[in-house]
Amino acid sequence: MKKIYKYSFNTNHGDPKGIIRQFLSEHKIKYTDELVTVFEIEDAHPYLDEIKNFLTINNINNPEIRLEYSKKELEEAPYLKIWLRKYSGYPQPESIDAKKSYKNYTYDVTNFCENCGSGLVQNNSFYLKKSFNIKKLRFGGVYWVYDTFFITNELHDLFVKEGFTGIEFLPVKNIKTKETMDHILQLKINEIFPVKMKYETKKIIDCKVCNQKRDLIRTDSTISFPKEILKYLDKDFYVSQELTGDGFMCCRHVLISNRVYKFLSNNKISNICAEPIFVYEPRKIF
């Protein structure tokens, strides 16, 4: 695992004389410098502290930080969190009339909070305005429900053959015609992870209307759960107990087993990003 620091700043305002770019070149750090200068530094860089100090002195602060995991860490993790590289946005069937919204067709909205988006419970097929490029992606999703995935019929057959557990497959319907769409199925995850996960948060959002809490995980935080829980995990797909999302987005983290991860990798499902979920030994209190 390595930590990556990504810096970006307005080239003309942040480095009008090119002093920072010259410094980066001298330290063999590649950058782009059109309207915005962008560069990345790994935590293993031999002059990391010197570079960060120089940038701070020159008012270049607050880098985006992310973690990159080794192939070994990904392949050995018992469970992994996944999300999509690309979410589709076009087919959202919204309407000024709430009764015609996809929410009312797809979910039980009894406990729906209009302030934070929590409380929806799916009780029907997922409704879309139209299908999207699922044939090309094979495994996709829509940007307003990050924890809901869609797959092709061909991938469905492979999933069934593998016997993956914790999921069911539902038809996707056209909100106008109410007809089932061809070539696309919802991969509905039914199992909730049995414990809360351990991670560092950058922000906890507490809804002032329904009191629901959402955690925003720091991008440089690992995620883990107690090792003793492993013996109770018998499903391939889970969603987290924790809710996440900002604004009107409210969703759960999606976790997959190691064998699902290897299946997706072996079948070249490239639209998926994954990070390992680590296990830890709880501290013993004597």
Side-chain angles (χ1 to χ4, degrees), residues 17-199:
K17 297 181 179 180
I19 295 173
I20 297 174
R21 283 166 288 170
Q22 181 181 345
F23 178 87
L24 295 175
S25 297
E26 291 171 353
H27 288 77
K28 297 181 171 53
I29 298 173
K30 296 180 179 180
Y31 60 86
T32 59
D33 64 342
E34 296 180 354
L35 292 176
V36 177
T37 297
V38 181
F39 58 94
E40 295 184 342
I41 311 169
E42 294 183 8
D43 59 351
H45 195 288
Y47 301 108
L48 177 65
D49 290 338
E50 177 187 345
I51 294 167
K52 289 172 69 176
N53 289 336
F54 175 84
L55 294 171
T56 299
I57 291 171
N58 286 274
N59 298 314
I60 306 300
N61 300 302
N62 303 318
E64 296 178 24
I65 306 174
R66 72 178 189 277
L67 299 177
E68 286 190 0
Y69 299 94
S70 66
K71 182 178 180 182
K72 183 174 184 290
E73 288 172 319
L74 291 167
E75 291 183 345
E76 292 184 354
Y79 281 84
L80 303 95
K81 187 183 88 163
I82 63 167
W83 65 99
L84 301 182
R85 296 182 188 278
K86 180 180 180 180
Y87 290 86
S88 299
Y90 176 74
Q92 183 173 9
E94 284 292 13
S95 171
I96 295 175
D97 181 358
K99 293 181 179 180
K100 296 181 181 179
S101 166
Y102 77 96
K103 294 185 184 73
N104 295 74
Y105 286 96
T106 304
Y107 301 101
D108 177 352
V109 298
T110 302
N111 297 314
F112 174 59
C113 177
E114 295 184 358
N115 185 62
C116 72
S118 69
L120 292 173
V121 178
Q122 186 170 350
N123 63 354
N124 205 337
S125 297
F126 204 97
Y127 281 78
L128 294 174
K129 185 184 297 182
K130 62 178 293 185
S131 186
F132 51 97
N133 57 340
I134 190 64
K135 283 189 176 181
K136 181 179 179 181
L137 295 172
R138 301 173 69 197
F139 196 113
V142 286
Y143 75 86
W144 64 93
V145 277
Y146 274 21
D147 54 3
T148 299
F149 299 136
F150 303 91
I151 61 174
T152 60
N153 292 334
E154 292 76 11
L155 195 55
H156 158 267
D157 293 344
L158 293 176
F159 270 54
V160 171
K161 184 178 179 181
E162 292 292 329
F164 292 138
T165 56
I167 52 174
E168 65 177 312
F169 307 98
L170 298 180
V172 179
K173 295 187 177 181
N174 183 294
I175 198 167
K176 184 176 181 180
T177 67
K178 309 301 182 292
E179 297 293 328
T180 297
M181 295 182 179
D182 296 330
H183 312 300
I184 184 172
L185 290 165
Q186 180 191 354
L187 177 70
K188 186 173 182 294
I189 304 169
N190 294 319
E191 297 294 325
I192 302 220
F193 204 63
V195 296
K196 290 189 174 182
M197 297 182 291
K198 183 179 179 180
Y199 49 75

Side-chain angles (χ1 to χ4, degrees), residues 112-118 207 210 212 214 247-250:
F112 174 59
C113 177
E114 295 184 358
N115 185 62
C116 72
S118 69
C207 180
C210 70
Q212 182 63 257
R214 290 173 289 168
F248 200 60
M249 173 68 68
C250 187

Side-chain angles (χ1 to χ4, degrees), residues 196-241:
K196 290 189 174 182
M197 297 182 291
K198 183 179 179 180
Y199 49 75
E200 295 181 44
T201 59
K202 66 177 180 180
K203 185 178 181 182
I204 298 177
I205 302 173
D206 193 348
C207 180
K208 295 180 180 179
V209 175
C210 70
N211 298 318
Q212 182 63 257
K213 287 182 171 56
R214 290 173 289 168
D215 296 342
L216 300 185
I217 302 178
R218 284 177 44 167
T219 55
D220 60 343
S221 172
T222 57
I223 303 175
S224 59
F225 61 83
K227 186 176 182 179
E228 62 188 22
I229 299 301
L230 278 173
K231 60 186 176 184
Y232 301 108
L233 300 179
D234 59 354
K235 298 294 187 291
D236 290 300
F237 285 83
Y238 290 96
V239 289
S240 66
Q241 294 185 21

